[in-house]
Amino acid sequence: MSEINNEHYHNYLTFLLSGQRNQCHQIVQNLLDDGIDIKDLYINLFQASMYQIGKLWETNQISVAKEHLATSITESLLHLVYPRIFSQDRCQRSAVISCCANEYHQIGGKMVADIFEMHGWDGHFLGSNTPIDDLLSLIQEKNPEYVGLSLALGSNLPKLESSIQGILEVAPQIKILLGGQAFREQIDESIIQYSNIRCIASLYELEDLIQQQS
Amino acid sequence: MDAEKDIRDCLFDFLMQEAPILYLLFNNEGTIEDFNQYAEDLLGGGLRGKGLADVFVDFDGNLEPKDMATHAEQPILLHVSIPGDCPQTVLCTLKPLGDKYILLARFDPSELFQLQKELLAINNEINNLTRSLQKQKVELEKLNQLKNQFLGMAAHDLRKPTGLIMSYSEFLIDEVSSGLDQEHQEFLSIIRSTSETMKRMIDDFLDISLIESGLFELDIQALPVADLFRTTMPLLNQIARKKNIAIELSLEDGIPIIYLDPAKIEQIIINLVSNAIEYSQEGSHVLIGVYSNGSQVTFRVEDHGVGIPPDEIGKIFSPFGKGMTKKTSGEKSVGLGLAIAQQIVKQHNGTISVQSEVGKGSVFQFTIPFCMA
């Protein structure tokens, strides 16, 4: 079984930065053909490269257009992984994952939903810029054990807080997971004042949590 | 004063020659009388004398000069026609000047930003829909796999008892039917023919479950093409005789030895010719032709039966896609034969096709390459 090494990462990042979708596709397809562990692929290739892209954008080293292109390429490559992820035996448990209103960065949230799927859960993913009413409707419809909220930009914290309040009103006992780039450096203590809210620092931590539930 | 004038002159020159701001001067009729370099670069030459409608796309009916005067107090959005490009939004400010107007315009970044946001949202939605579709596809594939397993198991378990019914009914017809009255002999005959039909269906179910599970394997052998017809022709003639249909076989001379799975190819030939008989009127004839073109051998079955309507042609190679056309003597089938035939041909790296005209008949043909690699 293959593992992501420096060469994979640097080649992939170079192609990603220059918008070479086919070459990125080839690297990922080869890794999948070699039986790469999906978490390794997600964390050490997709996530690492997107964090680096984000850093380059923040420091004005690449344009927003390049950042969007890299995001678009990465999302399209997630599709290559789906046949493996969705073929797991189902365990009849579910989680709803969503981005807050005004939040357009959705890859992280989607990876979280995929990790749930890999463990046989239904990882319902609502996508970016989800209106709170849509999120609440899905929670009421699916009655999930977990709701995951992804936040990339700290400026969207107020939206996140209102989402949490809305969720707790319709489902007071539901467990809420928070994650995303906005929580990487510091966690706003006011957000995690409730006992059923937990910040998840990495996909590894998420996987540990899911495994503890099984 | 001179210094101030110099600055104004400089500013005017800058506006006219270099500034990335579009400047037009137009009169009450909407005719352009003056413009700057940027306007000319953007909109093309020969602007003087052109009307506003020549340079702006009037999406909102804002281009009447008298109406434009009402917008003089606040900027308005217009769409500028750029030669060789799509219209782009500009933010325009108007200043009345006697019976003329000064128009200054710059590109409006807010629309681009909004478009970018909308494109991003659409892209995200497409990706999320793709994810949902992929998940549904995997779930449907799993269900299909379960269906194939069930179909395979059921067909396997039904095959033996059906074979026994068929054998014993044959035995009874051969050995004891002479002692039975006419009605009981008919009962036995019905049992035998019905069990034969059931066995064919069960064999089709088994084949399709193996094909869809990817477990269908060929047993490739080298043989002369004529060998394929040694056992099949007597059987086909027997079926054809019931409807007084003549079968004509035309084998081209000198066809080289071919590599194929004889049992499976015979199965296709029997299927195509049986269909031809079943969809033909009594007293008709069916032609079988076999010829080679150097790299492949073509098998052709032609009938002069009822034909297939154009809207059914596309479905007939799909499982259970037999369409609405009725067989001429009410023969029964489940509609798997052509789907199985297509898969067998595909596994031989060949192709199968049909041409048909309602009321005139159908021609099915399939090709098998001499070299399968």
Side-chain angles (χ1 to χ4, degrees):
Chain A
M1 187 162 62
S2 184
E3 278 182 11
I4 304 289
N5 57 33
N6 278 341
E7 193 186 344
H8 292 133
Y9 174 73
H10 286 293
N11 287 342
Y12 179 81
L13 184 63
T14 307
F15 290 134
L16 196 59
L17 279 166
S18 53
Q20 296 184 75
R21 188 186 295 263
N22 289 345
Q23 282 81 351
C24 292
H25 182 287
Q26 199 56 56
I27 289 176
V28 174
Q29 190 61 61
N30 289 346
L31 287 165
L32 285 168
D33 291 345
D34 288 345
I36 182 93
D37 178 63
I38 301 291
K39 281 189 309 302
D40 189 17
L41 183 71
Y42 272 27
I43 293 169
N44 296 317
L45 197 70
F46 293 153
Q47 193 180 61
S49 59
M50 284 314 296
Y51 279 162
Q52 179 62 17
I53 297 273
K55 204 176 282 177
L56 292 171
W57 170 66
E58 275 174 13
T59 51
N60 270 331
Q61 294 181 65
I62 60 166
S63 66
V64 69
K66 273 200 169 178
E67 191 253 354
H68 284 167
L69 183 59
T71 306
S72 165
I73 291 173
T74 307
E75 279 223 66
S76 68
L77 297 177
L78 290 181
H79 301 166
L80 297 176
V81 185
Y82 291 152
R84 256 172 75 178
I85 286 180
F86 294 134
S87 59
Q88 303 301 315
D89 288 336
R90 304 283 95 190
C91 66
Q92 311 307 324
R93 303 175 76 175
S94 71
V96 166
I97 314 297
S98 174
C99 301
C100 293
N102 206 36
E103 180 67 71
Y104 286 87
H105 296 79
Q106 65 166 21
I107 293 184
K110 196 180 273 187
M111 286 183 183
V112 168
D114 289 351
I115 297 288
F116 274 105
E117 291 282 350
M118 272 171 56
H119 289 82
W121 290 53
D122 279 321
H124 303 287
F125 182 63
L126 265 169
S128 63
N129 189 28
T130 303
I132 179 70
D133 289 344
D134 290 6
L135 174 60
L136 299 182
S137 295
L138 194 76
I139 290 171
Q140 286 171 315
E141 182 195 327
K142 301 290 180 190
N143 193 21
E145 290 177 51
Y146 284 98
V147 174
L149 295 174
S150 169
L151 194 73
L153 302 174
S155 56
N156 285 328
L157 262 174
K159 299 271 185 197
L160 176 74
E161 285 189 65
S162 57
S163 296
I164 291 172
Q165 281 162 11
I167 293 166
L168 292 175
E169 273 171 32
V170 298
Q173 302 306 317
I174 205 161
K175 288 171 266 187
I176 299 176
L177 303 176
L178 304 178
Q181 182 80 336
F183 298 103
R184 272 189 94 203
E185 282 165 15
Q186 65 171 66
I187 294 168
D188 187 333
E189 295 298 326
S190 68
I191 294 284
I192 49 171
Q193 57 184 304
Y194 306 95
S195 59
N196 46 349
I197 293 182
R198 175 170 168 180
C199 278
I200 298 290
S202 70
L203 293 179
Y204 289 121
E205 187 182 335
L206 175 70
E207 185 166 53
D208 286 346
L209 177 75
I210 296 171
Q211 280 169 344
Q212 284 163 20
Q213 307 292 308
S214 53
Chain B
M1 284 298 285
D2 282 350
E4 197 176 313
K5 187 173 179 303
D6 284 350
I7 289 172
R8 285 182 183 205
D9 289 348
C10 184
L11 189 60
F12 182 74
D13 286 347
F14 176 68
L15 175 69
M16 294 303 285
Q17 301 299 327
E18 295 169 57
I21 293 173
L22 189 145
Y23 156 70
L24 297 174
L25 178 76
F26 61 92
N27 61 23
N28 260 336
E29 304 295 313
T31 308
I32 296 169
E33 295 186 351
D34 196 16
F35 50 89
N36 67 352
Q37 187 60 47
Y38 186 74
E40 190 168 12
D41 292 346
L42 192 69
L43 306 172
L47 281 176
R48 200 178 310 280
K50 277 189 176 176
L52 286 180
D54 296 324
V55 294
F56 292 107
V57 184
D58 192 4
F59 287 126
D60 309 315
N62 281 333
L63 286 182
E64 280 299 313
K66 63 178 188 314
D67 295 337
M68 289 183 84
T70 62
H71 298 299
E73 286 175 5
Q74 56 185 11
I76 56 168
L77 284 176
L78 289 175
H79 297 87
V80 66
S81 308
I82 297 178
D85 207 339
C86 52
Q88 293 194 21
T89 313
V90 284
L91 195 63
C92 300
T93 308
L94 280 173
K95 174 82 181 161
L97 190 70
D99 61 349
K100 300 184 197 305
Y101 292 93
I102 292 172
L103 182 147
L104 292 178
R106 63 183 168 82
F107 283 100
D108 176 34
S110 66
E111 191 186 56
L112 275 180
F113 182 68
Q114 186 57 33
L115 276 175
Q116 197 181 45
K117 229 172 154 181
E118 280 168 17
L119 278 176
L120 195 63
I122 291 169
N123 192 39
N124 282 347
E125 204 174 326
I126 290 170
N127 280 315
N128 297 341
L129 284 172
T130 308
R131 183 180 186 270
S132 301
L133 285 174
Q134 291 257 18
K135 186 172 175 182
Q136 284 172 25
K137 180 172 174 265
V138 171
E139 282 166 0
L140 287 173
E141 279 170 355
K142 274 187 186 173
L143 283 175
N144 196 36
Q145 222 172 337
L146 275 176
K147 182 263 296 174
N148 286 333
Q149 277 174 6
F150 169 76
L151 198 60
M153 276 163 53
H156 184 264
D157 289 351
L158 285 171
R159 202 168 186 270
K160 201 171 171 188
T162 310
L164 283 174
I165 295 169
M166 211 169 86
S167 309
Y168 284 135
S169 59
E170 268 168 21
F171 170 78
L172 289 173
I173 287 167
D174 292 346
E175 301 294 326
V176 296
S177 68
S178 53
L180 298 174
D181 62 32
Q182 182 69 26
E183 189 183 24
H184 289 167
Q185 283 185 20
E186 271 176 29
F187 288 166
L188 274 179
S189 177
I190 291 168
I191 292 171
R192 188 183 63 178
S193 64
T194 309
S195 57
E196 270 174 6
T197 308
M198 274 175 67
K199 190 175 170 296
R200 273 202 306 276
M201 288 180 181
I202 288 167
D203 286 343
D204 282 353
F205 286 143
L206 260 180
D207 281 347
I208 206 80
S209 74
L210 288 173
I211 286 167
E212 292 200 356
S213 311
L215 300 170
F216 194 78
E217 284 179 3
L218 298 179
D219 177 17
I220 299 294
Q221 296 171 30
L223 81 162
V225 169
D227 282 11
L228 294 167
F229 296 92
R230 281 219 176 95
T231 50
T232 50
M233 281 311 286
L235 176 70
L236 292 170
N237 280 322
Q238 191 190 345
I239 301 169
R241 267 196 297 275
K242 289 179 191 165
K243 288 178 81 172
N244 193 26
I245 286 174
I247 300 178
E248 231 174 83
L249 173 63
S250 165
L251 270 176
E252 187 185 82
D253 288 338
I255 298 177
I257 296 287
I258 186 163
Y259 290 84
L260 43 70
D261 182 329
K264 300 285 187 286
I265 298 298
E266 283 173 10
Q267 185 180 342
I268 300 177
I269 294 167
I270 291 169
N271 179 269
L272 295 182
V273 178
S274 303
N275 282 347
I277 294 167
E278 287 167 3
Y279 287 100
S280 291
Q281 302 296 346
E282 287 204 23
S284 172
H285 64 285
V286 171
L287 306 171
I288 307 172
V290 187
Y291 49 92
S292 73
N293 73 351
S295 64
Q296 62 188 24
V297 61
T298 299
F299 298 80
R300 187 173 191 275
V301 177
E302 180 180 350
D303 67 56
H304 299 90
V306 293
I308 307 163
D311 60 333
E312 290 184 6
I313 287 260
K315 297 185 255 180
I316 58 169
F317 290 109
S318 304
F320 309 104
K322 60 180 174 168
M324 303 300 289
T325 310
K326 295 268 181 289
K327 296 182 180 182
T328 51
S329 298
E331 296 94 333
K332 290 192 177 100
S333 75
V334 286
L336 287 173
L338 289 176
I340 293 167
Q342 188 183 46
Q343 292 303 322
I344 294 171
V345 171
K346 263 190 190 168
Q347 290 209 16
H348 281 85
N349 294 334
T351 56
I352 187 166
S353 61
V354 61
Q355 286 178 313
S356 188
E357 199 173 330
V358 173
K360 292 198 171 170
S362 306
V363 178
F364 282 83
Q365 62 176 38
F366 66 96
T367 59
I368 303 292
F370 283 111
C371 175
M372 274 185 61

